[in-house]
Amino acid sequence: MDAENNKPLPSAFEGPDDSPGYVLWRVANRWQREQRNALQPLGLTHTQFVVLAVASWFEEKEALTQIRLSQLTGSDTMTVSQVVRVLEKAGYLARIAHPTDTRSKVIRVTKTGRELAEHAVQVVEATDKQFFLPLGDDGHALMTLFNKLLR
């Protein structure tokens, strides 16, 4: 190895811990690990939980198609399609005829799916509470910043 290869990367940052993207990536990975461990006993992945929870929240407000679930969750349509298939096979979701679009199906949460969603949301929220506890009152500021980034 020559000395040229031992130089730091041409970065605006002193090191990776000064990069907001890198730090966010590390925090997100840690948070995902915590959620994965919390949801594992329920037999759900975090993506499955999100789809089930969002379907539970919005199904009474609108006819939820896979495309609409994709929009509401911020997940790509292929991922939502695969997750809906798994949750349907497990008996947590059902597809019924769309009231106005014969080409589409409406995603409905079954009774069992609703019960699981109610339990899972408690688990996820408790895990979030523990994860974000070190922030104290700054948690509200973090939510404001997160929402600013999503706009």
Side-chain angles (χ1 to χ4, degrees):
M1 279 194 177
D2 58 44
E4 192 87 5
N5 290 334
N6 291 330
K7 288 184 179 179
L9 293 172
S11 172
F13 304 106
E14 280 290 315
D17 289 335
D18 296 322
S19 165
Y22 176 74
V23 172
L24 177 62
W25 177 74
R26 289 192 56 211
V27 169
N29 280 335
R30 188 167 149 233
W31 176 83
Q32 287 176 344
R33 187 172 42 254
E34 297 290 327
Q35 290 295 348
R36 186 173 43 250
N37 291 340
L39 287 167
Q40 193 271 331
L42 302 179
L44 289 175
T45 66
H46 193 262
T47 305
Q48 290 168 346
F49 161 74
V50 169
V51 169
L52 185 59
V54 167
S56 297
W57 277 318
F58 287 96
E59 74 176 352
E60 295 306 320
K61 296 177 178 88
E62 60 184 281
L64 290 176
T65 61
Q66 284 183 182
I67 290 171
R68 184 64 179 136
L69 269 174
S70 174
Q71 293 166 344
L72 290 168
T73 62
S75 300
D76 67 85
T77 52
M78 280 304 293
T79 298
V80 170
S81 175
Q82 292 167 347
V83 168
V84 165
R85 199 173 310 119
V86 168
L87 293 174
E88 182 181 29
K89 189 175 179 183
Y92 302 134
L93 296 179
R95 294 180 220 226
I96 61 171
H98 194 285
T100 59
D101 184 354
T102 56
R103 296 167 297 145
S104 294
K105 296 285 187 187
V106 173
I107 309 297
R108 296 294 300 186
V109 180
T110 65
K111 183 178 184 288
T112 307
R114 179 66 189 208
E115 290 167 357
L116 179 60
E118 288 173 0
H119 182 61
V121 78
Q122 302 293 319
V123 169
V124 165
E125 288 179 1
T127 303
D128 274 351
K129 185 177 180 180
Q130 188 65 37
F131 184 84
F132 292 107
L133 190 64
L135 296 179
D137 292 338
D138 290 338
H140 296 291
L142 181 66
M143 283 300 297
T144 301
L145 294 171
F146 280 162
N147 284 312
K148 206 181 258 192
L149 289 173
L150 288 174
R151 275 189 222 118

